[in-house]
Amino acid sequence: MKKKNNMVEMLQNTEIPEKPMFTPEFPPQEAEPSVVIVDEEGKPTDRVESALKCLPHYDPASCWSGDTLPSFRYWKIRDFAYAYRSKLVTPSKIAEQIITLVEGCKYHKAPTPLLISFDAEDIRKQAAASTQRFKEGNPLSILDGIFMAIKDDIDCHPHPTKGASTWMHEVRSVEKDAVSVSRLRSCGVILIGKANMHEFGMGTTGNNPNYGTTRNPYGHERYTGGSSSGPAAIVASGLCSAALGTDGGGSIRIPSSLCGVVGLKTTYGRTNMGGSLCGSGTVEIAGPIASTVEDVILVYAAILGSSPEDRISLKPSPPCLPILSSPENVNILGSLQLGKYTEWFNDVHSTDISDVCEDVLNLLSKSHGCKTIEIVIPELHEMRIAHLVSIGSESLRSLNPDIEDGKGVKLNCDTRTCMALFRTFTASDYVAAQCLRRRIMHHHLEIFKKVDVIVTPTT
């Protein structure tokens, strides 16, 4: 595998002039227009309130007709908030529907294992507390009563954290929520359980022989993508407005794309990874999956906030949110410069994919005045190898003590294959990968002097 990918030649026999970058470094950037700075050390509820003010005006008339509930569509967070405040429905009533649906999944002709850990009584308890807050007129935030699932590599007490393995809960107990989950809970979010995933996040399909493979809600014969397969499928099915996933190499973005929902891989260090299985690396983040950009903003506002050590070492700029309701942002599309690397853009399984994406670019150009600029992203293969060595070495360091203690035989075949590859990486390979990391960062900084975004078929 290493030979086929020229890894030895690239990492050991190539001179890379750049110095290693062991953690991401972010050069100072000019402040963007029409954004609001949020206090990452403040209360999650205050950040969510700031995010709410950034959103366009909510018009109930566009979604509701009198006292009747709308026909099927994705309910946004503000739809639930309106329904609760107007007494059209209660969190407890929604909870019963979710419990019925989750329990029914196991009886489908094609089983759809969305959740690995699920406790109906715990959901009822959370929903009852939220219902009482609405009855008293004291909801905690716009997220109060919003149902969310948590990927199984993030702690959510009292559920075990298995990483979709059969044994991690035996060697690692969960005493409290992860930092991001705690922030969601403080905003009134109702947590329905631990969502299915690719074992330890080491794959992009979501295939999991331990608990069954989560199926794509749009076609049960199709994959969801991974590794955050359960969170994306839960949102795409309409079961929850949002879910929390993790991403170190596409694990939020891939399933979000394949399931037709919105996933955000935040800038590294924007979210505190305390209480997650992947919390000690330099690429992984926790981020939201939702049915709309609007809902992603609200959930992101709740969970954001660097750890104290990241604030010291990374020196991040203050986090900000776009004011979508401002006239500047309403009309900003026309000023966007879209970077297209044609060779990469057309590197697809079927031209149907690149044709549809080309249609989208034409639509953005004709309808909104966006300008597409041809770019080149150099050394993509080197970038992939540097990423693999980085995340692979960090995964090995995290799991190796338990694997050497006898748990390795319980891993899935693809996970064992990954770990076998990771064990062959040397210290010099890792340093070379970090030199490539800095080099690739330079390439991208130059590209972003010319364009605002890089467009590509997502997966």
Side-chain angles (χ1 to χ4, degrees), residues 75-135:
W75 279 32
K76 293 189 286 189
I77 287 171
R78 290 197 289 177
D79 294 332
F80 277 104
Y82 175 80
Y84 293 154
R85 285 160 176 77
S86 302
K87 296 182 170 52
L88 295 173
V89 72
T90 66
S92 289
K93 186 173 181 180
I94 298 294
E96 292 304 324
Q97 294 181 335
I98 290 176
I99 291 167
T100 299
L101 289 167
V102 171
E103 291 179 340
C105 282
K106 66 184 77 168
Y107 302 113
H108 288 178
K109 188 174 181 181
T112 309
L114 297 172
L115 295 168
I116 288 176
S117 181
F118 169 77
D119 184 337
E121 289 310 310
D122 182 57
I123 295 173
R124 290 188 176 104
K125 183 179 178 181
Q126 294 179 71
S130 178
T131 298
Q132 184 63 30
R133 290 193 293 270
F134 279 104
K135 186 176 180 180

Side-chain angles (χ1 to χ4, degrees), residues 25 51 53 58 77 84 90 97 104 125 168 187 221 251-252 256 274 283 291 293 322 357 369 380 393 424 445:
E25 298 171 13
K53 293 175 182 177
Y58 178 77
I77 287 171
Y84 293 154
T90 66
Q97 294 181 335
K125 183 179 178 181
M168 178 53 73
C187 294
E221 76 286 359
S251 287
I252 284 174
S256 295
V283 291
S291 60
V293 171
C357 291
L380 277 171
S393 300
T424 69
L445 288 172

Side-chain angles (χ1 to χ4, degrees), residues 301-319:
I303 66 172
L304 74 78
S306 306
S307 65
E309 54 268 30
D310 280 346
R311 279 198 290 276
I312 294 171
S313 61
L314 299 178
K315 300 180 177 63
S317 57

Side-chain angles (χ1 to χ4, degrees), residues 395-408:
S395 298
L396 180 68
R397 191 199 68 79
S398 174
L399 293 172
N400 204 51
D402 294 316
I403 291 173
E404 292 296 317
D405 202 28
K407 301 297 185 183

Side-chain angles (χ1 to χ4, degrees), residues 118-301:
F118 169 77
D119 184 337
E121 289 310 310
D122 182 57
I123 295 173
R124 290 188 176 104
K125 183 179 178 181
Q126 294 179 71
S130 178
T131 298
Q132 184 63 30
R133 290 193 293 270
F134 279 104
K135 186 176 180 180
E136 296 171 353
N138 296 311
L140 297 175
S141 75
I142 197 74
L143 296 178
D144 204 336
I146 301 303
F147 292 80
M148 286 185 61
I150 306 299
K151 188 179 178 183
D152 194 37
D153 59 354
I154 306 172
D155 290 347
C156 179
H157 190 264
H159 301 277
T161 295
K162 303 177 181 179
S165 73
T166 58
W167 55 267
M168 178 53 73
H169 62 293
E170 297 172 2
V171 298
R172 182 181 182 278
S173 60
V174 175
E175 306 296 338
K176 61 180 181 178
D177 290 334
V179 175
S180 54
V181 173
S182 175
R183 289 169 178 171
L184 290 171
R185 205 187 288 270
S186 72
C187 294
V189 170
I190 298 172
L191 307 165
I192 71 166
K194 304 300 291 296
N196 205 347
M197 59 179 286
H198 206 111
E199 186 180 60
F200 291 124
M202 291 189 200
T204 58
T205 62
N207 180 36
N208 189 310
N210 296 331
Y211 300 97
T213 296
T214 300
R215 297 170 182 269
N216 196 310
Y218 287 101
H220 280 184
E221 76 286 359
R222 297 179 181 270
Y223 277 131
T224 58
S227 63
S228 301
S229 51
I234 284 167
V235 173
S237 69
L239 199 66
C240 293
S241 294
L244 198 62
T246 56
D247 189 320
S251 287
I252 284 174
R253 294 158 289 167
I254 293 169
S256 295
S257 175
L258 296 187
C259 292
V261 291
V262 181
L264 173 66
K265 183 183 193 292
T266 67
T267 299
Y268 176 79
R270 277 290 184 226
T271 52
N272 188 324
M273 294 298 290
S276 67
L277 296 184
C278 49
S280 59
T282 65
V283 291
E284 293 257 15
I285 60 91
I289 296 175
S291 60
T292 67
V293 171
E294 177 182 299
D295 287 354
V296 162
I297 290 174
L298 291 172
V299 176
Y300 171 57

